[in-house]
Amino acid sequence: MPNASKRKIRETAAKFAFLIAACTSVAAVVMICLFLFVNGIPAMGKIGVFRFLLGQTWRPANDQFGIFPMIVGSLCVTFGAVLIGVPTGVLCAVFLVFFCPKKLYKVLKPAVDLLAGIPSIVYGFFGLMVIVPAMQALFGGSGKSLLTASLLLGIMILPTVVSVSEAALRAVPESCLEGALALGATREQSVFFAVLPAAKSGILAGAVLGIGRAMGEAMAVSIVAGNQAIIPESILSGVRTLTANIVLEMGYAADLHREALIATAVVLFVFILLINLLLNLVKRRDKP
Amino acid sequence: MRKQRKTPAALLPILLFFALAACGKPADTITVISREQGSGTRAAFAELAGITETAADGDTLDTITEYAEITNSTAVMLQSVAVDKNAIGYVSLGSLNGTVKAVAIDGIAPTAENIQKGRYAITRSFLLVTLGEPSLLAQDFLSFLLSAEGQAVVQDAGYIPVDPQGGYAGGGMEGKLVISGSSSVAPVMEKLKEAYQTHNPSAEIEIHASDSTTGIRTVLEGVCDIGMTSRPPTDSELAEGLSPVTIATDGIVVIVNRENPVSNLTKAQLRAIFTGQITSWAQLTSNTKR
């Protein structure tokens, strides 16, 4: 039975290789968690949890580490990005699935996918060269603002929203659309009032993934947001997000300043965890 | 149908949000752009322009307005000033280019000559740091940098040399040297490396450009031999056994948009702009007339 034993060895080897691959990603997550919490939690303790989370002044040189403006900034920018990106993305997915001629689809789909592959620094410079001057012309001021950052992030989350929504729409049984058409609804009515609600939780999952992407984006945002560490007064004031705070100051930070930045990453990490939790909830509701 | 009725109500706050935004600021509001907290460029700029205060514990703090836009990149700083006619910012003399206008301070233009003669005051040092007793190659490389020949390379690169310590007599060194740190220092370091290798073709030198803190940390961790920094090491870093050497001086240039008629600022005006006391260019000109 040399053949059978050979196969067994091969199978065990393959299993082992898969196990290692699985362990690698788990190990990476565990190590990142450890790094963040071991370095970040003591810093929060030193600064004082409430003074850190709710403090409104960020002046590292003065040992004032309040990240409340950045928390507000991250939430505002993410909210703005979702406001711009999700409706656009969902409508784009509806078009791709139900109204797009086949020839156009062959161009549009790869174009949307390509959007996902553009490095964020390129988005950032695009924002700085194109969106910022446009905003200056439209609203005056410096052109770097909450609105600019939201707009850019709205574009950046498009591919995520579009592809997840598209998959969700395609997963809706054909009979749903046909049934609505048979009852005398127009194609538009059928799509928007029968198919779209049926794909609700899939589309919601896309939106939540988009939120995660918007929340975690650093490079592009730090180029177009202005990065003032103050709570934005209007959508035209500059804003600093948690990610931008880290990316801006990591290079020169030392001692407690550096630890405070890692603690900022802990806060961001908790936000991302919450978003993932939300995603799981959305998905679970879909099951039964 | 339920959904249809909901939509306009949901849109209302959004429209309000945008409508509120339409009430803008005066057209010539100055856009102050600064580097981030902890940046060597920022610290040097604030100190030399007098935009500082002394805290209770004796530390020097800058008082640059919190309404200033912040960027951590020279490229973004230059581009932002180039596209915004109301912007003012500052960059290293070595990275100044024609897309923006350099402003004279108290009537003195920021040129290498003025800096070297001590007329233009907004300058900072480029430092190299080593830990403990550096390798023979590292010592030889440092002595080359500080020699007349090494300092000539510094001058050619557009920076201001320090007083040279004699000529360089070495050569024929072998081995490998890893240098890492500030991206402000890295360009001149590349040129110094080339010059050094004409004397020492067998010496292998690697330069990693990142930032000052990384440079200092990697030296402390023993990952690299020499760290480049554009900010002075902190007391806690020096306590770990670092020895710093100044290899060049860099000027910091205040820049405005090319369409901006302002070509000279007094230190007092500069201070007023960067601390947020003057917020429009019109205010500035009326102040000057008085």
Side-chain angles (χ1 to χ4, degrees), chain B residues 264 266 269 281-290:
Chain B
N264 178 48
T266 64
Q269 286 173 328
W281 289 107
Q283 239 174 317
L284 183 75
T285 34
S286 64
N287 270 15
T288 330
K289 273 171 200 158
R290 243 182 275 154

Side-chain angles (χ1 to χ4, degrees), chain A residues 138-162:
Chain A
L138 280 174
F139 301 108
S142 78
K144 290 188 195 167
S145 63
L146 176 53
L147 181 63
T148 317
S150 297
L151 187 61
L152 187 65
L153 273 180
I155 299 171
M156 290 180 76
I157 66 170
L158 272 182
T160 316
V161 178
V162 171

Side-chain angles (χ1 to χ4, degrees), chain A residues 56-63 79 83-84 125 128-129 132-133 136 139 141-144 146-147 189 192-193 197 200 219 222-223 226-230 233-237 240 247-255 257-258, chain B residues 1 3-4 14 17-18 21-22 24-25 31 33 35-41 53 55 57 59-63 66-73 75-76 79-80 83-85 182 184 211-214 217 230-231 234 236-237:
Chain A
Q56 302 205 357
T57 319
W58 175 264
R59 275 182 82 189
N62 203 5
D63 284 336
F79 180 72
L83 222 53
I84 293 166
F125 270 97
L128 186 60
M129 309 280 210
V132 168
Q136 272 174 31
F139 301 108
S142 78
K144 290 188 195 167
L146 176 53
L147 181 63
Q189 283 172 334
F192 282 100
F193 297 108
K200 198 170 60 186
M219 212 59 223
S222 75
I223 292 178
N227 302 318
Q228 293 92 327
I230 43 175
E233 288 152 3
S234 80
I235 59 169
L236 287 183
S237 26
R240 183 185 292 200
V247 104
L248 280 172
E249 297 187 358
M250 209 47 165
Y252 287 98
D255 307 328
H257 184 189
R258 186 160 173 272
Chain B
M1 277 302 156
K3 224 171 178 127
Q4 229 174 1
I14 302 169
F17 202 48
F18 276 85
K25 293 173 183 166
T31 310
I33 310 180
R35 293 291 302 274
E36 74 282 11
Q37 287 262 3
S39 148
T41 317
E53 63 181 18
D57 58 356
D59 281 352
T60 328
L61 305 171
D62 71 57
T63 49
E66 58 183 357
Y67 291 94
E69 277 184 12
I70 305 292
T71 176
N72 64 338
S73 141
V76 172
Q79 180 63 26
S80 301
V83 298
D84 184 349
K85 65 181 188 338
S182 168
S184 308
D211 54 70
S212 298
T213 298
T214 308
R217 292 246 59 92
S230 56
R231 64 161 171 84
T234 62
S236 70
E237 284 163 350

Side-chain angles (χ1 to χ4, degrees), chain A residues 156-240:
Chain A
M156 290 180 76
I157 66 170
L158 272 182
T160 316
V161 178
V162 171
S163 57
V164 176
S165 305
E166 192 193 341
L169 287 172
R170 287 200 192 280
V172 175
E174 194 82 348
S175 55
C176 184
L177 178 70
E178 283 165 359
L181 288 173
L183 284 172
T186 64
R187 192 172 166 80
E188 287 76 14
Q189 283 172 334
S190 316
V191 167
F192 282 100
F193 297 108
V195 182
L196 211 55
K200 198 170 60 186
S201 64
I203 291 173
L204 217 56
V208 174
L209 278 176
I211 295 175
R213 172 115 164 88
M215 194 78 151
E217 179 47 47
M219 212 59 223
V221 173
S222 75
I223 292 178
V224 301
N227 302 318
Q228 293 92 327
I230 43 175
I231 296 173
E233 288 152 3
S234 80
I235 59 169
L236 287 183
S237 26
V239 63
R240 183 185 292 200

Side-chain angles (χ1 to χ4, degrees), chain B residues 106-148:
Chain B
D106 287 333
I108 295 166
T111 59
E113 195 198 345
N114 280 341
I115 292 167
Q116 196 169 11
K117 295 204 171 140
R119 288 186 218 134
Y120 185 82
I122 308 182
T123 60
R124 61 161 168 181
S125 298
F126 283 169
L127 299 119
L128 295 186
V129 294
T130 50
L131 182 66
E133 178 84 356
S135 69
L136 278 179
L137 178 60
Q139 287 180 21
D140 189 63
F141 185 62
L142 286 177
S143 72
F144 170 74
L145 299 193
L146 295 174
S147 71

